[in-house]
Amino acid sequence: MISVLLNPWVWDSAAQEKYPDRVTGESVPLEYLNEGYSEYYPYTSWITKGYVKRIELKEYATELL
């Protein structure tokens, strides 16, 4: 069985205001996230400060070649 970790986290406008290289809506690089069982997670403080937000992933890979 192959497990695929998902990254539904994107930068929000507060992150771009503080750090111009972090563009609103772009995916947060995995280096900034903690690996969970089924997805990556940012620091809780980033969520409460509005630096990142979670988007709903609507498409999943159904077949691996």
Side-chain angles (χ1 to χ4, degrees):
M1 182 168 109
I2 298 173
S3 71
V4 177
L5 295 177
L6 304 174
N7 179 11
W9 298 98
V10 295
W11 295 120
D12 207 355
S13 58
Q16 187 172 4
E17 290 173 10
K18 189 166 183 170
Y19 303 101
D21 64 325
R22 299 175 184 177
V23 179
T24 302
E26 281 191 0
S27 184
V28 177
L30 297 181
E31 300 85 47
Y32 293 109
L33 302 174
N34 299 310
E35 186 176 338
Y37 180 72
S38 61
E39 70 179 65
Y40 289 92
Y41 294 96
Y43 295 107
T44 306
S45 63
W46 290 6
I47 299 169
T48 56
K49 292 178 182 177
Y51 295 154
V52 296
K53 66 179 177 179
R54 188 177 192 281
I55 58 170
E56 288 297 319
L57 297 174
K58 297 182 181 189
E59 296 182 14
Y60 295 94
T62 57
E63 184 177 323
L64 296 174
L65 300 176

